[in-house]
Amino acid sequence: MSGSMSRRQAIEAVTTYDVSAPGFTEPLADTFGRNVFSLSVMKKRLPKHVFKAVAATVDTGCALDPTLADYVAVAMKDWAIEKGATHYAHVFYPLTGFTAEKHDSFLEPDSTGASLAEFAGKTLLQGEPDASSFPNGGLRGTFEARGYTGWDVTSPAYILENPNGNTLCIPTIFISWTGEALDKKTPLLRSQQAMSKQAMRLLRLFGHDDVDTVVSYAGAEQEYFLIDEHFFYARPDLMTCNRTLFGAPPSKGQEFDDHYFGAIPERVLSFMIELDRELFKQGIPAKTRHNEVAPGQFEIAPVFERSVLAHDHQQLMMTTMKAVAEKYGMKCLLHEKPFSGVNGSGKHVNFSLGNANQGNLLNPGDTPHENMQFLTFCGAIIRSVHLYGGLLRAAVASASNDHRLGANEAPPAIISIFLGDQLMDVFEQIAKGGATGSKAAGVIELGVDTLPPLKADPGDRNRTSPFAFTGNRFEYRAPGSNQSISDPMVAINTILADSIDFIASDLEKLLADGLELADAVQKVLQEIVNAHGSVIFNGNGYSDEWQEEAAARGLKNLRTTVDAVTEYTSPEVVEIFEKYGVLSARELEAREDVIFEYYALTLLVEAKETAEIAKTMIMPAAIRYQGELAGTAASLKMAGIEAPTPLLEELTGLISTLHDGLTALDAGIAGMHGESTFEESKYALEKLVPAMAAVREVADTLESIVADDLWPLPTYNEMLTIL
């Protein structure tokens, strides 16, 4: 494989790369939580009454007395300095979807000119970044700069290591001077509180006297690609847009299904081992690692945590993945579709509800038809997804995730629920008047004496469903790999608060009328199944038939971000967000505006990069090859040899088509406009996307016929298979 100079250099660098992984003498288990100011650390360093107050806030969500902040600040500062920290940073999560941090030194000069390590309670509680410098959807003008960060007691502080000095990182919320949420965490905390209040109310109706705070738990399966940094820097589209804007399909992609769960390459495994170690230091419970479906694609998954903490850990995980990959000369690609025609990357969010006393509220047990409590919470989810499927779709909307949803590799844009055979049967019984039995788990006999019989689950799994029950939790498969899990979890918590409130209110009325609890639950669930059962679908979500059937059922099919995001400001969504104090109408409008703005900007940048690469790299390569073919044809003619030139004619036609496509693309870029961010997004979708696709189609065709030594861009085959 030769290629242009940059490609040859990249291939040589990759193939001669020496995997020199550091030796780790300390067992991995001994590193867990080392850099976290956890409750166990606080217990040793705080006065007993202060520790009890902080622990109560973390465990039950009760308010923390601000006067105790000084105690925590001193203990946190001393611990951090012992860990080599020189600075502290309030870490927050703005509407960019990324992590932001402002660093300040512990050292402050005193009156004598000496330096003292200062860190007071007021400093811990509150910081002040520039609110107008982050996306805010018009909530803050350029001249209205003030914003505040506020300490989130429920998420532990941690140490961010650097060879030249460590930093104490304090997870915070981020709000405007007028109190509006400008971040991903504030609405997550609000939605958790709203859901918990209603869930506790429902649990009391089931006779529980010892009801604890109900917590939503989340575990996100993070998919990603790894490519060598030499290929990355030889691809301007990857550097600018995080995805390839050009690239012909490789002769061998993922057709043989030989990459999924395959042997992990040595270089990648070294990266994974160090990544696990770094995540363990931060108390992030990384559990699973493996090859994914596409060549060069992998997955890491943590165990379940409280959704607020899982969100913070997920953000830190993405940052750590990129940093560790660079140590091994690779780039970690978190874009949902970095390579066209091969499997994209998602972030499947598994979630459940529970607490210490009542356990996992989504655990059906062996006889789910008898588990009224479980069926009631499951019924709440069915109602929620049916009524607010549009909101769930909007919560995962982005220009990058649009490449996945509905592309026969990810769930469709139609939001439905998969329950499995066992639960489906139970709810069908409920719809007919009452459940009397549950399908039992089976046993698989393998016919080999040395192999034990295997227990078969009472229901299969469905990878095509966006919202699937998987045994004791639901898995929301639509979120994209580069997205924060906050938006889908905020949506899930809020719609569950509404549905649990609805169910609890109905049960209270029925119980007051003298019905027994079992009869009241049957009546409520029967009404839910009859009214909302159309959202349940156990079949193939990829099929064309499902598209038609979903339309007949009245389910929304919001194919693009432009179609989906207006769901945030639909009257029914605004009503529940305001009712439960999660987001105001103004905050929702701002978020809608930010998403549209980022969508339009993303497509505009991609369009400009498409035009630049095509003009400066692909067109010159094609013209050079055209010149070589024309010169050869002229030499043959001078020698008296009349030879047909079909390749030259095809190439000439393609160059002309490429020129026309670029002219249309340039016109689309020049005409980018809109009265609002929505109109700009609509313009980008309707004008820029098809224009880019037309340019790419002809460019990818050129890649298949232009001489390999002239082609300027590393190919899919090279990037995906050489590690």
Side-chain angles (χ1 to χ4, degrees), residues 379-402:
I381 292 171
I382 292 170
R383 179 184 182 273
S384 298
V385 176
H386 184 235
L387 288 179
Y388 303 106
L391 172 61
L392 289 170
R393 171 65 180 92
V396 298
S398 70
S400 54
N401 207 25
D402 280 359

Side-chain angles (χ1 to χ4, degrees), residues 686-722:
E686 294 176 351
K687 300 295 184 181
L688 298 185
V689 170
M692 283 191 288
V695 170
R696 175 169 191 160
E697 182 179 7
V698 64
D700 290 353
T701 304
L702 284 168
E703 182 181 336
S704 66
I705 64 174
V706 170
D708 185 71
D709 63 322
L710 295 176
W711 193 252
L713 298 170
T715 67
Y716 274 24
N717 189 49
E718 293 160 353
M719 291 187 289
L720 292 171
T721 59
I722 305 177

Side-chain angles (χ1 to χ4, degrees), residues 137-323:
L139 291 174
R140 305 295 289 162
T142 306
F143 64 95
E144 296 173 313
R146 194 178 296 276
Y148 300 122
T149 57
W151 177 37
D152 174 18
V153 186
T154 66
S155 191
Y158 58 91
I159 296 293
L160 188 65
E161 292 183 332
N162 185 281
N164 294 327
N166 298 337
T167 303
L168 170 67
C169 294
I170 306 161
T172 67
I173 55 106
F174 178 41
I175 60 171
S176 74
W177 179 70
T178 47
E180 291 99 351
L182 297 176
D183 65 339
K184 300 283 188 178
K185 175 174 273 194
T186 300
L188 181 56
L189 289 164
R190 292 172 179 169
S191 69
Q192 161 63 51
Q193 181 173 289
M195 182 278 298
S196 179
K197 180 180 178 182
Q198 300 304 326
M200 292 171 71
R201 176 185 165 203
L202 182 57
L203 287 172
R204 292 189 182 100
L205 292 177
F206 280 96
H208 298 290
D209 297 322
D210 57 344
V211 178
D212 276 346
T213 301
V214 176
V215 176
S216 62
Y217 292 87
E221 303 170 18
Q222 177 72 64
E223 296 174 345
Y224 61 98
F225 280 84
L226 292 173
I227 68 167
D228 188 275
E229 63 182 9
H230 295 89
F231 292 141
F232 178 85
Y233 292 122
R235 293 284 312 217
D237 47 2
L238 278 176
M239 291 175 60
T240 303
C241 307
N242 296 307
R243 78 178 182 99
T244 55
L245 302 172
F246 301 96
S251 54
K252 178 181 178 295
Q254 58 193 60
E255 299 88 350
F256 291 93
D257 298 322
D258 55 349
H259 192 258
Y260 191 55
F261 277 28
I264 300 172
E266 180 187 4
R267 184 183 184 185
V268 175
L269 184 57
S270 295
F271 153 78
M272 287 179 170
I273 291 171
E274 184 160 354
L275 176 62
D276 280 350
R277 189 166 296 274
E278 292 302 315
L279 295 177
F280 264 46
K281 288 181 186 177
Q282 305 297 353
I284 301 174
K287 176 69 173 176
T288 302
R289 62 193 190 202
H290 60 83
N291 289 3
E292 256 296 335
V293 171
Q297 187 185 35
F298 309 92
E299 179 180 296
I300 181 171
V303 297
F304 263 49
E305 298 181 285
R306 296 177 179 228
S307 59
V308 177
L309 182 58
H311 161 265
D312 290 6
H313 280 169
Q314 179 63 214
Q315 295 295 117
L316 183 56
M317 176 186 286
M318 290 192 290
T319 302
T320 306
M321 290 168 69
K322 293 178 181 179

Side-chain angles (χ1 to χ4, degrees), residues 513-717:
D513 290 340
L515 261 68
E516 295 293 328
L517 179 62
D519 295 331
V521 169
Q522 162 62 30
K523 183 176 175 59
V524 171
L525 290 180
Q526 186 174 25
E527 291 175 354
I528 286 176
V529 175
N530 290 331
H532 307 289
S534 58
V535 79
I536 302 171
F537 178 64
N538 283 359
N540 182 8
Y542 293 167
S543 67
D544 294 335
E545 292 79 11
W546 171 231
Q547 304 280 328
E548 298 174 5
E549 185 179 337
R553 294 187 184 192
L555 302 182
K556 295 178 179 179
N557 188 1
L558 305 172
R559 297 179 180 274
T560 71
T561 295
V562 176
D563 300 323
V565 174
T566 53
E567 293 288 322
Y568 269 121
T569 52
S570 63
E572 62 273 16
V573 168
V574 173
E575 181 182 355
I576 64 166
F577 270 91
E578 290 199 322
K579 178 179 179 180
Y580 298 103
V582 178
L583 290 167
S584 68
R586 189 164 180 245
E587 289 171 318
L588 287 166
E589 289 170 3
R591 277 161 166 71
E592 179 184 277
D593 189 67
V594 169
I595 297 171
F596 280 134
E597 181 184 18
Y598 266 65
Y599 179 87
L601 287 174
T602 298
L603 292 183
L604 181 60
V605 168
E606 288 185 351
K608 290 179 177 179
E609 191 66 33
T610 296
E612 182 175 342
I613 293 174
K615 290 175 184 177
T616 63
M617 300 178 77
I618 294 174
M619 182 73 85
I623 292 173
R624 289 191 189 104
Y625 190 46
Q626 183 189 40
E628 289 185 6
L629 293 177
T632 300
S635 298
L636 290 172
K637 189 172 182 179
M638 289 179 64
I641 301 172
E642 292 291 335
T645 56
L647 182 56
L648 177 59
E649 293 169 8
E650 180 186 5
L651 183 63
T652 301
L654 289 170
I655 291 173
S656 177
T657 304
L658 180 60
H659 179 271
D660 293 343
L662 285 169
T663 301
L665 180 57
D666 285 340
I669 294 170
M672 183 74 173
H673 71 285
E675 298 287 326
S676 63
T677 54
F678 170 74
E679 292 296 332
E680 283 187 344
S681 297
K682 189 175 179 183
Y683 177 93
L685 174 65
E686 294 176 351
K687 300 295 184 181
L688 298 185
V689 170
M692 283 191 288
V695 170
R696 175 169 191 160
E697 182 179 7
V698 64
D700 290 353
T701 304
L702 284 168
E703 182 181 336
S704 66
I705 64 174
V706 170
D708 185 71
D709 63 322
L710 295 176
W711 193 252
L713 298 170
T715 67
Y716 274 24
N717 189 49

Side-chain angles (χ1 to χ4, degrees), residues 327-358:
K327 291 185 179 181
Y328 293 86
M330 297 183 291
K331 287 291 181 178
C332 178
L333 305 180
L334 296 175
H335 192 283
E336 285 80 0
K337 197 72 171 179
F339 303 100
S340 178
V342 299
N343 200 62
S345 297
K347 184 180 291 180
H348 306 159
V349 178
N350 297 270
F351 85 94
S352 66
L353 309 170
N355 58 30
N357 286 341
Q358 282 72 51

